[in-house]
Amino acid sequence: MTIARLNAFNGLFLRAEHLERMQEYTRSLAYALGQSGGPGVVHGYSAKLSPNGLKLVVDPGLAIGSTGRPFLLQASAEVDLTDPEVIGQEAGAGSLRMITVTGKDTRFGKENVYGDLCAGASIGDTEPYVAEEAVIRVGELPLAGPSDTSDRTLRSRVSSKWFAHERDLGGPWIAATDQADRSDILRGDWGSGFALPASEDPDSVPLGLLLRTSRAWVLDVWTLRRERDDPPPRRLRQTQLGLRPWDVFIAQVLQFQDMLAAGWPGAMARRITAATAGDLNREVRRNVEEAKKLIVSKGAQESLAAVLKLLPEADAATTVTAGPPGLTDDLGILELPPAGFLPHSTGAKSSVQEWTGAMFPRAVLLNFRSCPADAVLSAVEDAQHLRRIPLTPSEDKTAVSVDILVPDGAEGADGLTTERPWVAFRRHADCCPDGSESVDLHLYAVSSPDDGERLIAGLTDGSIDPTASEVAEHHVVRYPVGGWAVPEHRSDVERWKAGGGTVTAIGLSGSAENRVLTAGRAAMFLDLFPHAPGDDNRGAGGVYATVRTGLTRDAIVLVRHRERIG
């Protein structure tokens, strides 16, 4: 609509339509200014569930809709989550509800209405004022929920699906995901001006998400809530270039931190309880064994033996320790933001590597680095445009690499230590900004000597392509450009080599010039596998190097196999 104002002049017969035009002009200016800053929450609007989980409470706040309309809530609002008219008739396990603030115009007051300017009698009355209220609503989420609605992983699955939906909704011109890249770099609208994106509900602002588990409603604020940080042109251009707007990055980080904080106490208590129960079981078993030695009566000894049978075996391999909860196994988190923070127990006897490593599943490769605390925070901020971190194995079995940044860390006898109660993580950037180069690492484990010999022969003569294998673990290691060294903190190799056997290293180079360099890099991996005295079935084997054309980059293959005996 065109912004139009009243052209007042002397002798104008001022009527209601003229006053309405004056109001509409002011409103149009205000909405245009509000629209220029983009939609989102300005302040307040904190949402929380009541202690019994039956009510949603939203604090006062200010938000701006995509049309520029302000939504000012001046008193806390409550929503009854047991009311079918509010929450919907079918709100079973796995149901998703969107919390929004929207506007509502309410007339109030009372004034007489006169039919004739000169007549003194009133012909009726009306409500002369309109209150532009902010109203909290709960409605359907415009996205189908995940097929797996189990309580443990529901929140993580829904947030991951929404973040991917939000990225695709922006229509990026350049793709930075793992899916097939259909970017059209030669498209014809690079010179086009900015247009406001369409909104499913332009007169509302999302405040949070309600998820229904088998037991109760769970509130997730940051999956949907976006704060008013950047103007629309910046957000749109970042989205078109495959980048992540700042408000989305902050929301993803805060969503993870909130999910971690909500699940950590319970998961930690369960682990401590299990560890305490294991300690108590061992103590009772020891006391009963001691009692058997002191009792002469055969009947009493048989009774004590029966008690021992009722106690679980004190197997050190299965005893749960009071270490940190696993992000996936205990907390149900399947995906991380590009960067974030993890708690660290300064009183733990384990090193940072052991404590933090216990949180991550084996599909994630961890690289530990010690940095000043302020540099750690800056590194987290720099991860804004990196991809999210999956904690489950990908289809091609490629492990994702994550940097664990230890603030003010010190190298102790057993590894890195820090006095701070936190560490940071961020997805490792694959563009090698530190002047290093990437090399593919393929890890094979075969059970028989014949299989090992055939595999090694096929890899060296070119009949087996390591990149096409479905049985090998694939990782990426980094070296100084043109140099060699044993990569630091190779947690993936440490786990892999625990299976025993002899390890053979094969360097595959894409050019004859790099053959010697690749062979040296492969040979240095064997330093991780020293021969054990008296054990001919464990240790370092031979080193091979060959040129393989068609490789996108050099590769190292480690084959773990049993030696032929006799």
Side-chain angles (χ1 to χ4, degrees):
M1 178 180 179
T2 302
I3 297 178
R5 57 185 173 84
L6 177 67
N7 180 29
F9 56 90
N10 292 330
L12 174 66
F13 182 30
L14 194 62
R15 297 186 301 277
E17 63 179 276
H18 301 113
L19 297 176
E20 288 176 357
R21 174 63 69 184
M22 294 167 63
Q23 288 185 330
E24 183 61 33
Y25 174 66
T26 304
R27 184 185 296 110
S28 298
L29 290 179
Y31 279 24
L33 290 175
Q35 196 176 66
S36 68
V41 177
V42 179
H43 64 76
Y45 279 119
S46 298
K48 54 185 175 291
L49 293 175
S50 61
N52 60 10
L54 301 181
K55 289 185 178 181
L56 172 71
V57 182
V58 180
D59 292 341
L62 173 64
I64 306 297
S66 59
T67 62
R69 175 170 179 167
F71 303 122
L72 179 63
L73 185 66
Q74 295 181 305
S76 295
E78 289 189 356
V79 178
D80 185 0
L81 300 183
T82 63
D83 186 350
E85 294 185 2
V86 173
I87 210 69
Q89 296 292 338
E90 299 179 1
S95 297
L96 307 175
R97 296 295 183 267
M98 186 178 191
I99 307 167
T100 61
V101 58
T102 187
K104 177 184 178 183
D105 292 346
T106 303
R107 294 179 178 273
F108 67 99
K110 184 177 181 180
E111 287 287 347
N112 292 330
V113 177
Y114 297 92
D116 187 89
L117 182 63
C118 300
S122 170
I123 63 171
D125 58 63
T126 188
E127 297 164 322
Y129 307 112
V130 178
E132 297 184 350
E133 299 177 325
V135 180
I136 305 300
R137 289 182 178 172
V138 176
E140 293 283 345
L141 181 72
L143 180 71
S147 56
D148 185 348
T149 59
S150 57
D151 290 357
R152 186 175 65 87
T153 60
L154 178 62
R155 185 173 178 182
S156 181
R157 291 183 187 278
V158 172
S159 63
S160 297
K161 190 171 183 178
W162 180 265
F163 292 144
H165 168 74
E166 184 178 35
R167 178 198 62 220
D168 296 338
L169 197 64
W173 294 354
I174 298 178
T177 63
D178 294 325
Q179 283 74 33
D181 192 342
R182 298 182 177 86
S183 306
D184 183 7
I185 303 301
L186 300 180
R187 60 190 302 139
D189 52 354
W190 284 100
S192 63
F194 167 75
L196 282 175
S199 175
E200 295 180 355
D201 188 358
D203 286 325
S204 68
V205 174
L207 300 179
L209 173 68
L210 286 170
L211 309 93
R212 181 71 188 189
T213 67
S214 60
R215 299 184 300 272
W217 287 104
V218 174
L219 174 64
D220 185 300
V221 173
W222 291 104
T223 293
L224 299 183
R225 174 178 169 131
R226 299 292 177 266
E227 298 194 329
R228 200 167 182 254
D229 288 316
D230 291 327
R234 179 179 177 88
R235 297 186 81 260
L236 176 73
R237 298 309 184 193
Q238 286 180 325
T239 301
Q240 288 173 339
L241 296 178
L243 304 176
R244 181 181 288 109
W246 177 255
D247 62 328
V248 177
F249 172 65
I250 287 296
Q252 292 189 11
V253 172
L254 294 178
Q255 192 275 336
F256 163 72
Q257 302 298 158
D258 184 52
M259 186 163 49
L260 178 70
W264 185 274
M268 196 67 183
R270 288 191 293 271
R271 293 188 66 82
I272 293 175
T273 300
T276 303
D279 293 340
L280 180 61
N281 168 45
R282 287 189 292 274
E283 183 66 17
V284 171
R285 181 176 287 276
R286 186 183 66 79
N287 290 336
V288 173
E289 292 284 4
E290 291 296 326
K292 284 179 62 179
K293 298 177 183 178
L294 300 176
I295 294 176
V296 178
S297 168
K298 182 178 180 181
Q301 287 189 343
E302 290 177 350
S303 297
L304 290 174
V307 171
L308 283 176
K309 290 181 179 180
L310 296 176
L311 293 173
E313 291 294 330
D315 185 357
T318 58
T319 299
V320 179
T321 61
L327 291 173
T328 299
D329 294 340
D330 297 315
L331 298 172
I333 299 175
L334 305 178
E335 191 177 65
L336 301 179
F341 302 93
L342 295 169
H344 171 65
S345 175
T346 55
K349 297 181 180 179
S350 56
S351 65
V352 174
Q353 286 98 322
E354 294 173 325
W355 175 270
T356 308
M359 300 184 200
F360 284 84
R362 305 184 75 177
V364 180
L365 170 62
L366 303 180
N367 308 302
F368 292 86
R369 297 172 55 191
S370 175
C371 312
D374 56 346
V376 173
L377 300 179
S378 179
V380 170
E381 181 184 24
D382 290 343
Q384 174 182 349
H385 304 299
L386 299 180
R387 288 176 292 170
R388 290 174 60 81
I389 303 170
L391 296 182
T392 53
S394 60
E395 293 182 358
D396 60 1
K397 299 184 180 181
T398 301
V400 63
S401 182
V402 175
D403 292 333
I404 303 297
L405 309 178
V406 184
D408 303 325
E411 189 69 38
D414 299 323
L416 283 172
T417 62
T418 180
E419 295 299 321
R420 297 184 183 271
W422 59 273
V423 297
F425 68 88
R426 58 167 280 167
R427 181 161 187 153
H428 189 94
D430 294 331
C431 58
C432 307
D434 54 355
S436 62
E437 58 181 326
S438 298
V439 174
D440 288 315
L441 174 65
H442 304 277
L443 305 177
Y444 284 85
V446 294
S447 57
S448 70
D450 291 337
D451 289 342
E453 291 173 2
R454 283 193 294 268
L455 177 60
I456 294 170
L459 290 168
T460 52
D461 66 19
S463 60
I464 295 179
D465 180 5
T467 63
S469 173
E470 296 182 355
V471 297
E473 293 185 34
H474 174 235
H475 305 282
V476 176
V477 292
R478 290 173 175 78
Y479 293 93
V481 177
W484 54 56
V486 177
E488 297 180 358
H489 308 305
R490 301 309 307 174
S491 56
D492 50 350
V493 178
E494 292 293 334
R495 291 192 298 264
W496 177 80
K497 77 174 185 178
T502 297
V503 176
T504 298
I506 306 170
L508 304 178
S509 175
S511 64
E513 291 79 7
N514 282 353
R515 182 173 179 270
V516 175
L517 175 62
T518 306
R521 289 172 170 174
M524 295 198 73
F525 259 107
L526 297 185
D527 290 343
L528 300 174
F529 306 91
H531 282 289
D535 184 1
D536 295 331
N537 236 16
R538 184 177 179 86
V543 179
Y544 299 84
T546 185
V547 177
R548 293 284 294 271
T549 58
L551 294 177
T552 57
R553 57 189 174 195
D554 293 347
I556 296 172
V557 182
L558 301 182
V559 180
R560 191 184 74 224
H561 56 96
R562 293 289 178 181
E563 292 284 4
R564 191 180 301 279
I565 300 177

